[in-house]
Amino acid sequence: MATARVALFHGVSTLLLPRPAAAPVGWWAMSTDEGSAEDVRESETSVERDARFEADALPLLDQLYSAAMRLTRNPADAEDLVQEAYAKAYAAFGQFRPGTNLKAWLYRILTNTYINTYRKKQREPLKSDAGEVEDWEIARAASHTSTGLRSAEVEALERLGDSVVRDAMSELSDDFRLVVYLADVEGFAYKEIAEIMGTPIGTVMSRLHRGRAQLRARLADHARELGMTVPS
Amino acid sequence: MTTPFPIEPGQSTSLCREVLEALESLLDNVMPETDADLIRAHIETCDPCTEAADAEVHVRELVRRACQEKAPEQLRIRIVSQVIVRSVR
């Protein structure tokens, strides 16, 4: 058994090579004069630009919808949010510098649209007492390790399916849920997340650490509630 | 209450604790390579730390997979038609 476990981590650790530096987000790149490559915006027709939008931005629909589902926590609002984000992105597409980080640019639009439009009029009630709960959860989750989940619990969660994880995610506060989504589902680097959320990197790191701890505490609760207890 | 990962008799608990606290940075690819090598070297020779590292890798993978959804076809159609309508000038 130990050999198999070592092999798993070994296999993953060889994948943990240094990442290439992230390309700058669209509107950050706007202000830098890179000069060298010809900007296709200067020569394309509006029909060509529309085709470029469809070819480059549309493929990200599933990912943006998934993010919107985590943000709004209901399908009707998620669809509205994504549609509005795409409308804004389409209207602003001329401002996006080709070759820079389109995914992060779209996520920034989605996040801002969510904050400005949906956060205020949520159909689902806001998570209450987030502050009170999180300290207790963090104390517990962090009491011995930074993660708090044992392999038996993780194996139990694997068998319980996606809805358990989604439920646990929905129990986090907005900020924690979003930062965990951006890091662990989309794989954005801290710097990209900071640009998407419009917060300093330090805030991202702090929210990520606390959000992950809270999520793991919730997952352990769900695993326990559903009868897959690990003797403590 | 969730118990800690088991520490074997004779194992360096403070080292394991440090290593596990560094796990997040390691897996986020923000650790300098020399430090990362040391952390990985310990993990690979320490069964409880291997188990903890595997569990964390596994949880992240679980979360990633569980949160991937497919957009409804009608939404896709509505968004595409937004673009098409505007290109007819």
Side-chain angles (χ1 to χ4, degrees):
Chain A
M1 296 304 123
T3 342
R5 289 201 194 103
V6 169
L8 171 65
F9 187 74
H10 218 326
V12 172
S13 69
T14 60
L15 296 173
L16 299 178
L17 301 169
R19 282 178 199 245
V25 179
W27 50 57
W28 290 97
M30 230 169 70
S31 56
T32 60
D33 186 10
E34 292 174 359
S36 50
E38 187 211 302
D39 191 333
V40 72
R41 290 175 292 178
E42 285 160 22
S43 54
E44 70 185 352
T45 64
S46 60
V47 171
E48 284 168 341
R49 175 171 299 172
D50 290 351
R52 186 164 60 86
F53 183 83
E54 200 169 328
D56 294 352
L58 257 300
L60 297 166
L61 174 58
D62 286 341
Q63 291 162 271
L64 290 168
Y65 176 73
S66 299
M69 279 294 286
R70 301 283 76 73
L71 283 170
T72 63
R73 295 175 291 173
N74 82 78
D77 282 345
E79 290 194 37
D80 287 348
L81 173 58
V82 173
Q83 193 168 349
E84 195 174 332
Y86 265 99
K88 290 185 148 82
Y90 178 71
F93 196 50
Q95 296 161 45
F96 170 73
R97 180 180 279 270
T100 61
N101 195 340
L102 179 64
K103 192 166 80 158
W105 188 76
L106 287 169
Y107 264 95
R108 174 90 197 231
I109 292 171
L110 184 83
T111 301
N112 283 347
T113 306
Y114 172 70
I115 289 167
N116 295 330
T117 311
Y118 291 91
R119 208 175 211 173
K120 292 166 188 166
K121 57 174 177 77
Q122 283 194 23
R123 295 179 199 179
E124 296 286 320
L126 281 167
K127 224 53 236 156
S128 60
D129 296 321
E132 197 183 300
V133 170
E134 85 200 21
D135 288 340
W136 175 78
E137 308 249 73
I138 287 157
R140 188 180 77 173
S143 61
H144 299 281
T145 71
S146 61
T147 65
L149 279 186
R150 306 186 63 167
S151 59
E153 288 172 322
V154 179
E155 279 156 27
L157 286 165
E158 177 84 64
R159 289 193 295 274
L160 290 171
D162 292 349
S163 62
V164 177
V165 176
R166 293 176 186 174
D167 287 347
M169 280 287 269
S170 73
E171 291 161 24
L172 304 183
S173 70
D174 275 4
D175 290 336
F176 285 2
R177 196 171 346 107
L178 180 57
V179 77
V180 169
Y181 181 88
L182 293 173
D184 292 344
V185 181
E186 279 291 5
F188 283 115
Y190 296 165
K191 184 171 184 295
E192 292 168 312
I193 296 172
E195 287 164 349
I196 290 166
M197 294 180 73
T199 61
I201 289 185
T203 304
V204 169
M205 293 168 67
S206 161
R207 282 180 187 167
L208 191 50
H209 180 73
R210 294 160 73 203
R212 280 167 170 159
Q214 192 178 27
L215 176 62
R216 280 145 186 70
R218 291 295 192 202
L219 287 171
D221 284 346
H222 283 260
R224 220 176 347 265
E225 279 160 27
L226 291 160
M228 310 275 178
T229 31
V230 180
S232 45
Chain B
M1 188 167 209
T2 313
T3 52
F5 295 98
I7 303 291
E8 303 301 323
Q11 238 157 10
S12 168
T13 62
S14 61
L15 175 60
C16 289
R17 190 158 296 147
E18 267 185 60
V19 164
L20 293 177
E21 280 168 7
L23 192 56
E24 188 174 10
S25 299
L26 179 73
L27 297 179
D28 285 351
N29 293 312
V30 295
M31 188 166 276
E33 264 314 288
T34 45
D35 294 351
D37 287 342
L38 291 171
I39 302 285
R40 277 186 218 119
H42 170 83
I43 290 172
E44 284 162 18
T45 59
C46 172
D47 280 357
C49 284
T50 296
E51 182 179 332
D54 277 359
E56 178 56 21
V57 167
H58 201 168
V59 166
R60 290 185 181 206
E61 179 56 26
L62 259 178
V63 171
R64 194 183 67 78
R65 283 193 338 245
C67 291
Q68 290 178 328
E69 305 201 41
K70 193 130 177 52
E73 196 52 33
Q74 282 306 309
L75 175 62
R76 183 178 300 273
I77 290 167
R78 279 202 305 277
I79 289 171
V80 169
S81 68
Q82 273 174 200
V83 176
I84 290 169
V85 165
R86 284 174 203 185
S87 19
V88 177
R89 289 192 169 84

